[in-house]
Amino acid sequence: MASLISAILLSLLLLSNVNAYPKHGFSLELIHRDSPKSPFYNPCETSSQRMRNAVRRSARSTLQFNNDDTSPNSPQSVITSNRGEYLMNISIGTPPFPILAIADTGSDLIWTQCNPCKDCYKQKAPLFDPKQSSTYKKVSCSSSHCRALEEASCSTEKDTCSYKISYGDNSYTKGEVAVDTLTIGSSRLRPVSLRNVIIGCGHDNTGIFDAAGSGIIGLGGGSTSLVSQLGKSINGKFSYCLVPLTSETGLTSKINFGANGFVSGDGVVSTPLVKKHPATFYFLTLEAISVGSKKIHFTGTIFGTKEGNIVIDSGTTLTLLPSKFYSKLESTVASTIKVERVQDPNRVLSLCYRDTSSFKVPDITVHFKGGNVKLDKANMFVEVSEDVSCFAFAANEQLTIYGNLAQMNFLVGYDTVSRTVSFKRTHCAQM
């Protein structure tokens, strides 16, 4: 009952922002980290070095079980792929303070590193100083904002609401819960602001965070994520299109919110979005994976039930599957490939081949409930050195995740009202 009351109060607090966005929604530009247009572009790195870095960072997730229809008035921001993750440019506070943070569908809370910082990872950009924002307000223990955050704890002596979030790679952030104004910049008109957004002001942040980033923008399904805090203004809809990590072009694509986030047209396949705990994660139902004409049925139950047995996550690089199922999948794929099998030079992935002109991969189709997604070579194999490519799936007994490599060059749409996720094969760099 208490959680229901908190959710109602939170919804009322956000109603003032419903009309802040154009009725057609808004779109944010996507720039691949390794594009020459990216501020992180390193001309000295090879495509295989970039991919190797992405694979190593595949644990980025909070999951813990142990046609351009954009309105000309749409606000614009930038997302940049950062070693297998995607970064978003937004601003926090009044006056607006720019931050560059990981956009993650496996997280809820929006947080950034803040001054004073007791123990923070090295960050290139200046840290956000809450004392310089006239709209920054600490959240009290009794407030609905504090009750809305599962990771919150309270100090009754100081009446302050604190949080701690641990990630799958043992990184963590700790700090105080606050509300402030979040601003998304516009390339054509004035920036658009969202008032009283719940944020985390991180004073103790440690782990494998890139110095170029300032925190995380949670795009999950929980009540404190950016998606939920945008409220009725986006009608529960958003979509993204991830440019392949090997792309060298300066072309960009978009992440879309609201009406712009609806995925339609020829070739769209949809699957139910399963509601279960924790609300942060977007659960789908994986029924099978086909290799050529051979269908391998999936009966995994890591998440407790057959329905909602896999999480789709933009922040995890590899697709992770239970060991028994993965072994069947790997052996079936291996039986169809006739070139020399070699060891991953980085000793991370288990099915690797010498990538010569004769290296041909089988057709692989992922069978979700109600929809089949056919992968191409770039979704299935990644170049880990100049002449070695490895299968972009891995065994994991704690997590079952449909990772971002499998989503590259698909327009992936989330509708949290109709409870569906849709896929449409798309050349993302040309959106």
Side-chain angles (χ1 to χ4, degrees):
M1 185 67 178
S3 60
L4 176 61
I5 293 172
S6 295
I8 293 170
L9 290 172
L10 182 60
S11 298
L12 291 172
L13 285 167
L14 295 174
L15 282 177
S16 62
N17 293 298
V18 168
N19 297 319
Y21 294 89
K23 65 180 180 179
H24 298 300
F26 62 99
S27 298
L28 291 74
E29 188 178 23
L30 294 166
I31 303 173
H32 190 271
R33 180 192 194 277
D34 298 314
S35 163
K37 292 179 68 174
S38 166
F40 308 111
Y41 178 64
N42 183 354
C44 297
E45 281 189 335
T46 65
S47 61
S48 60
Q49 286 173 325
R50 297 177 189 118
M51 186 59 70
R52 184 163 63 242
N53 290 334
V55 169
R56 285 174 175 170
R57 296 175 61 84
S58 190
R60 172 69 66 231
S61 173
T62 57
L63 192 53
Q64 301 286 320
F65 288 87
N66 152 22
N67 312 337
D68 191 355
D69 294 323
T70 304
S71 164
N73 298 328
S74 296
Q76 299 288 321
S77 187
V78 177
I79 289 182
T80 307
S81 169
N82 186 18
R83 301 188 185 278
E85 295 146 5
Y86 290 80
L87 299 178
M88 182 184 296
N89 272 311
I90 61 171
S91 294
I92 290 177
T94 306
F97 182 88
I99 67 168
L100 184 65
I102 299 166
D104 188 8
T105 54
S107 302
D108 284 331
L109 185 66
I110 302 165
W111 68 266
T112 187
Q113 295 207 110
C114 293
N115 273 325
C117 216
K118 296 189 302 182
D119 184 13
C120 286
Y121 65 88
K122 186 178 180 181
Q123 179 179 310
K124 292 180 181 178
L127 271 62
F128 174 63
D129 187 348
K131 292 181 180 179
Q132 301 303 313
S133 172
S134 62
T135 48
Y136 182 91
K137 298 175 184 176
K138 292 182 182 180
V139 166
S140 69
C141 288
S142 59
S143 73
S144 60
H145 296 94
C146 190
R147 294 196 298 271
L149 186 62
E150 288 187 6
E151 300 87 354
S153 61
C154 275
S155 169
T156 53
E157 293 180 1
K158 297 181 179 179
D159 191 29
T160 56
C161 183
S162 301
Y163 76 93
K164 178 179 179 180
I165 299 175
S166 297
Y167 294 89
D169 60 0
N170 295 320
S171 303
Y172 68 84
T173 174
K174 294 193 292 186
E176 63 187 17
V177 182
V179 293
D180 208 338
T181 297
L182 183 147
T183 302
I184 297 175
S186 172
S187 59
R188 301 186 185 182
L189 296 176
R190 66 179 185 177
V192 178
S193 296
L194 185 69
R195 299 186 299 274
N196 295 318
V197 173
I198 302 171
I199 65 168
C201 205
H203 299 291
D204 184 357
N205 318 294
T206 301
I208 311 173
F209 296 109
D210 196 290
S214 307
I216 285 183
I217 306 296
L219 296 173
S223 62
T224 59
S225 76
L226 177 61
V227 173
S228 296
Q229 293 197 68
L230 284 169
K232 293 182 180 179
S233 64
I234 64 168
N235 294 317
K237 294 180 177 65
F238 73 99
S239 64
Y240 55 72
C241 206
L242 305 182
V243 176
L245 297 177
T246 53
S247 174
E248 297 289 347
T249 70
L251 299 173
T252 60
S253 53
K254 300 182 183 75
I255 182 168
N256 312 292
F257 293 89
N260 287 354
F262 184 68
V263 179
S264 61
D266 294 340
V268 175
V269 297
S270 298
T271 184
L273 187 57
V274 180
K275 200 168 190 176
K276 61 195 299 185
H277 183 79
T280 300
F281 307 112
Y282 297 105
F283 292 94
L284 309 181
T285 301
L286 175 64
E287 295 183 333
I289 297 179
S290 290
V291 181
S293 60
K294 184 170 183 179
K295 184 181 261 189
I296 308 165
H297 292 276
F298 183 68
T299 57
T301 56
I302 286 176
F303 298 117
T305 60
K306 185 177 179 180
E307 296 291 310
N309 56 17
I310 190 167
V311 168
I312 182 170
D313 181 26
S314 67
T316 300
T317 304
L318 302 174
T319 291
L320 306 178
L321 300 165
S323 298
K324 187 175 180 180
F325 180 81
Y326 173 78
S327 294
K328 290 181 182 178
L329 177 63
E330 180 185 291
S331 62
T332 305
V333 172
S335 69
T336 69
I337 299 176
K338 306 306 179 185
V339 298
E340 178 189 2
R341 185 169 176 174
V342 297
Q343 189 176 62
D344 177 6
N346 307 297
R347 300 182 184 276
V348 175
L349 301 173
S350 61
L351 183 62
C352 302
Y353 293 94
R354 192 74 62 195
D355 197 349
T356 64
S357 58
S358 59
F359 178 49
K360 307 296 182 185
V361 302
D363 291 333
I364 292 184
T365 302
V366 180
H367 301 280
F368 292 110
K369 183 176 182 179
N372 302 324
V373 178
K374 186 176 180 180
L375 305 182
D376 67 14
K377 183 178 178 180
N379 300 123
M380 295 183 275
F381 280 83
V382 294
E383 185 183 87
V384 296
S385 71
E386 295 306 307
D387 62 346
V388 174
S389 288
C390 296
F391 194 40
F393 291 62
N396 192 297
E397 287 305 317
Q398 295 179 317
L399 310 170
T400 306
I401 293 179
Y402 193 65
N404 63 38
L405 287 177
Q407 301 174 58
M408 300 289 176
N409 274 340
F410 282 93
L411 181 59
V412 183
Y414 297 70
D415 187 332
T416 61
V417 175
S418 298
R419 306 299 302 171
T420 59
V421 171
S422 301
F423 300 87
K424 182 179 181 179
R425 173 62 72 180
T426 306
H427 192 192
C428 293
Q430 293 184 356
M431 278 191 66

